[in-house]
Amino acid sequence: MQPNDLDRIARQIRLRDLQAVFEAGAGHIGGEMSAIDILTALYFRVLRISPDQPKHPDRDRFVLSKGHVALALYVTLAKRGFLPEEEIGTFLKPHSRLNGHPNCTKVPGVETNTGPLGHGLPVAVGMAKAAKLTGAEYHTYVLTGDGEMQEGSNWEAIAAAAQFGLDNLTLIIDHNRFQQGATLKDTNNLAPFPAKLEAFGWDATEINGNDMDEIVPALERRGNRPHAIVAHTNKGHGISFMQDKVDWHHKVPNAEQYQIALAELSETL
């Protein structure tokens, strides 16, 4: 699938995500909007997966470490055929399997439960190491937030991945410059990331994480070391009044704002 096709699908996913947040009255919409282009490129171009066989042993693995943006993953999985698209309407409702954080025992296509930040990358390192031990050819991808990179567990995992020579592992950092309640630079600012990752023995690539022409080749890149993609994105990407606003980390648009966002996202379909 070509970048123009991926852009179209990403816009459709953004629109459904917005609708689901508004209907549910909850969600982490800012970080969902920043990550959707990356998720779209993964699920509709890069990952070797099959909705009919979500546990096929040769499938590529994807771990959403920033698990609070689960809704964006659910909408992507539904669009890809892992879930009925109408099930998105059950998000956060009683007895729904679409909870605020992804659950691998309930939702097909989810590889591991995530939510507590700093857990997904260590799990992904384990998946990649398992492939090396068994001779499997699958590739493991993991998406973290930039604020999440403040967790020490991530840097232990980064050191281990280099030690084990995990060239079958790709880390994507959603570098939208905001976390809950503050900008990254006003908390524990570890940016810029590339030199730090390279010091640990990784290859590092910087891209515009909302541009398919840059996302796709970065995700498809292969080398002889673990690969980190620092994806510069915009919190609330695609919605004018949300973009780069810290208060949209976890907030629901009111009726007037919803109509504005709906119109802006619909214009580009």
Side-chain angles (χ1 to χ4, degrees):
M1 191 169 288
Q2 298 306 306
N4 286 345
D5 301 313
L6 296 171
D7 278 329
R8 175 178 47 80
I9 293 171
R11 291 192 294 270
Q12 294 169 350
I13 292 172
R14 277 194 174 86
L15 183 61
R16 187 65 188 96
D17 187 284
L18 166 70
Q19 293 168 331
V21 167
F22 183 72
E23 291 163 3
H28 289 79
I29 194 167
E32 288 158 9
M33 294 295 152
S34 67
I36 281 172
D37 293 308
I38 294 164
L39 292 174
T40 302
L42 282 165
Y43 278 90
F44 288 87
R45 163 110 180 200
V46 176
L47 293 175
R48 296 175 300 168
I49 51 174
S50 171
D52 296 329
Q53 296 178 291
K55 293 296 185 182
H56 194 287
D58 296 329
R59 72 192 183 282
D60 287 336
R61 272 65 165 174
F62 170 70
V63 175
L64 180 68
S65 191
K66 47 179 289 183
H68 54 282
V69 302
L71 177 57
L73 178 61
Y74 299 151
V75 177
T76 304
L77 287 171
K79 191 76 173 171
R80 186 65 174 81
F82 285 85
L83 308 170
E85 292 199 51
E86 57 270 20
E87 189 174 352
I88 299 301
T90 72
F91 176 61
L92 295 181
K93 290 184 178 179
H95 310 297
S96 172
R97 58 181 176 172
L98 305 185
N99 297 321
H101 295 88
N103 187 324
C104 66
T105 65
K106 295 181 178 180
V107 184
V110 173
E111 292 292 346
T112 188
N113 295 18
T114 54
L117 298 177
H119 287 195
L121 179 55
V123 170
V125 168
M127 292 175 174
K129 177 62 173 174
K132 290 289 187 182
L133 291 172
T134 61
E137 294 185 358
Y138 64 80
H139 197 93
T140 299
Y141 300 83
V142 55
L143 178 66
T144 70
D146 49 5
E148 180 182 1
M149 293 305 293
Q150 296 164 357
E151 296 281 358
S153 52
N154 281 325
W155 296 95
E156 293 178 34
I158 286 166
Q163 173 70 26
F164 297 146
L166 300 183
D167 57 357
N168 58 346
L169 175 66
T170 298
L171 161 67
I172 310 112
I173 301 173
D174 183 5
H175 191 12
N176 62 29
R177 309 178 308 285
F178 293 91
Q179 56 195 107
Q180 183 166 329
T183 63
L184 189 68
K185 64 182 178 62
D186 289 333
T187 54
N188 182 14
N189 189 12
L190 294 179
F193 291 102
K196 296 178 179 67
L197 292 157
E198 289 167 351
F200 274 82
W202 284 54
D203 288 329
T205 303
E206 286 191 90
I207 65 168
N208 178 344
N210 297 127
D211 184 341
M212 291 297 181
D213 287 324
E214 296 190 28
I215 295 169
V216 169
L219 290 173
E220 293 180 340
R221 175 181 166 181
R222 297 290 180 267
N224 56 11
R225 298 194 291 180
H227 181 211
I229 301 169
V230 181
H232 295 271
T233 63
N234 299 308
K235 195 96 166 181
H237 185 79
I239 303 173
S240 59
F241 62 85
M242 291 186 191
Q243 190 159 308
D244 296 337
K245 299 292 194 301
V246 67
D247 50 337
W248 284 101
H249 177 86
H250 185 256
K251 188 177 176 180
V252 179
N254 60 33
E256 181 181 358
Q257 291 169 328
Y258 174 66
Q259 291 301 322
I260 293 169
L262 202 62
E264 290 182 352
L265 292 178
S266 298
E267 278 179 7
T268 56
L269 288 178

